[in-house]
Amino acid sequence: MAIVFKNITATKGYQYLIFKIAVFMLLAFFADFLFGGIFHYYYFKQSSGWEYRTRYSIEETRAEVLIFGASRAQQQYNPDYFEKKLGLTSYNVGRDGEPVFYYFSLLNGILKRYTPKIIILDVENNVFKESQDSYDRLSILLPYYSTHPEMRAVIELKSPLEKLKLQSRLYPFNSMLFKIAIGNTEYNKRRFEDIKGYVPLNRALDEGIRIVDFSKISYPIDTNKVNCYRSFIKDCIEANVKLYLVCSPYFSRTIGEDTSMAIAKKVAAENKIDFLDYSKDEIFLSNSKLFDDTIHVNSTGSAIFSNRLADTLLFKSKNAGH
């Protein structure tokens, strides 16, 4: 009969390895829980900067007029003019470089808290263009995933593994350490002017006007972006919010129309929503000094544009139903 000997040393080695893995996982879980909690606390404690403005937009503002969009919203619509003309409190929730995913998510968070009277959505050329960067930028909204279920469907578009990654408390704050630190100081308040979310530009453009031929420009359309735009309109209608879709001034004369802009106008017409197009307004096309660059008006141009748009909204509100 053969005698079977157990390799006690090997068995103990495996047990020790399993023990080390268990200890490592326990420490990793504890570190994730601890540091994730610390970052969460200081993220939501910020009092200045872009992350603060996002949090204020989602969780605090109760302004009666809200302005949505990317940099062309943030830097071209001055809330002071809407307050003076319409007699309604106003705030600009726009954020530089952000796609339709961002401002649709903001709308979801805001409508969960309260119902504004008027929403202005700035619509720009290329708004529906396919771009991986648009999905990468959803990282800005990761801190809200656990507390804002109404935003999760859009946030999960970031990647197929996003739902799994967001089991971590630390993951939402990756690459935000510096921003969070600065946001808890007074530095941002000194660095740039912030007028109820509006950030003015002060350079005066000195160049001749350009010609843009959209008939020679083509690009793939992202249906997720188009669907978010449609949902933005639908949610405003269902919440009984007066929505205005606006294309603010550009310093360029155009041949044809941008593909995204044509889609945006078509969807607006289907839903009977006013689309106000200032891209061909001669007041702006004839004066480069009203611009900071070819796609953003400066503070002088913003004053003229905001005043003109506020007058238009006032006229429309007075004549509604007539």
Side-chain angles (χ1 to χ4, degrees), residues 42-307:
Y42 282 103
Y43 175 91
F44 287 95
K45 190 173 173 289
Q46 292 178 89
S47 60
S48 66
W50 304 128
E51 311 312 319
Y52 162 74
R53 292 178 70 251
T54 293
R55 180 186 67 76
Y56 182 83
S57 299
I58 294 171
E59 299 192 336
E60 290 191 31
T61 184
R62 299 194 72 86
E64 295 163 298
V65 178
L66 295 178
I67 299 127
F68 285 75
S71 62
R72 284 169 43 79
Q74 176 187 282
Q75 296 161 350
Q76 304 200 130
Y77 298 73
N78 187 333
D80 282 346
Y81 290 91
F82 299 100
E83 292 193 348
K84 289 173 185 175
K85 289 292 176 75
L86 303 177
L88 300 171
T89 57
S90 304
Y91 188 76
N92 190 323
V93 303
R95 179 161 172 165
D96 188 11
E98 294 309 316
V100 63
F101 301 137
Y102 174 80
Y103 40 86
F104 176 54
S105 295
L106 253 62
L107 178 72
N108 288 334
I110 289 166
L111 291 180
K112 185 179 178 181
R113 287 193 300 111
Y114 82 107
T115 305
K117 292 183 178 179
I118 296 174
I119 283 179
I120 301 166
L121 173 59
D122 183 85
V123 183
E124 59 185 11
N125 294 329
N126 301 327
V127 66
F128 303 134
K129 183 178 181 179
E130 277 190 5
S131 168
Q132 181 57 45
D133 181 64
S134 296
Y135 291 88
D136 295 339
R137 282 181 170 274
L138 283 169
S139 59
I140 289 168
L141 296 173
L142 296 182
Y144 301 91
Y145 186 83
S146 62
T147 54
H148 289 267
E150 72 279 2
M151 298 168 65
R152 289 176 188 167
V154 175
I155 294 173
E156 288 170 5
L157 293 174
K158 185 174 182 294
S159 78
L161 296 176
E162 215 58 30
K163 206 168 183 178
L164 178 62
K165 291 177 183 178
L166 283 160
Q167 300 306 305
S168 163
R169 293 192 71 189
L170 188 55
Y171 171 69
F173 306 100
N174 282 355
S175 306
M176 285 192 181
L177 178 59
F178 180 73
K179 289 181 180 179
I180 293 173
I182 294 297
N184 278 275
T185 70
E186 296 294 310
Y187 176 72
N188 282 321
K189 294 179 182 178
R190 298 191 300 269
R191 187 172 59 161
F192 57 81
E193 190 176 7
D194 184 333
I195 303 169
K196 300 179 182 115
Y198 160 67
V199 179
L201 299 172
N202 297 308
R203 190 171 71 102
L205 186 65
D206 186 16
E207 64 177 58
I209 196 164
R210 300 176 184 179
I211 305 297
V212 178
D213 188 351
F214 285 119
S215 67
K216 296 179 180 179
I217 301 172
S218 63
Y219 52 82
I221 295 296
D222 187 333
T223 55
N224 284 333
K225 290 183 176 180
V226 177
N227 289 337
C228 279
Y229 174 74
R230 288 183 181 276
S231 295
F232 190 104
I233 293 173
K234 177 175 173 287
D235 287 354
C236 286
I237 293 172
E238 290 181 351
N240 200 29
V241 176
K242 183 60 181 175
L243 172 65
Y244 294 97
L245 302 169
V246 181
C247 177
S248 50
Y250 282 93
F251 189 62
S252 58
R253 296 190 183 277
T254 60
I255 299 171
E257 189 167 45
D258 169 67
T259 304
S260 291
M261 193 63 65
I263 293 171
K265 288 180 178 179
K266 181 175 181 291
V267 174
E270 290 170 354
N271 289 277
K272 298 180 173 58
I273 300 296
D274 287 324
F275 196 108
L276 308 175
D277 189 351
Y278 289 83
S279 65
K280 295 177 175 60
D281 192 320
E282 284 298 328
I283 287 178
F284 299 96
L285 292 176
S286 61
N287 189 355
S288 69
K289 301 297 184 184
L290 299 179
F291 288 82
D292 178 85
D293 57 34
T294 58
I295 63 172
H296 299 94
V297 294
N298 55 28
S299 56
T300 303
S302 172
I304 295 171
F305 167 63
S306 298
N307 199 51

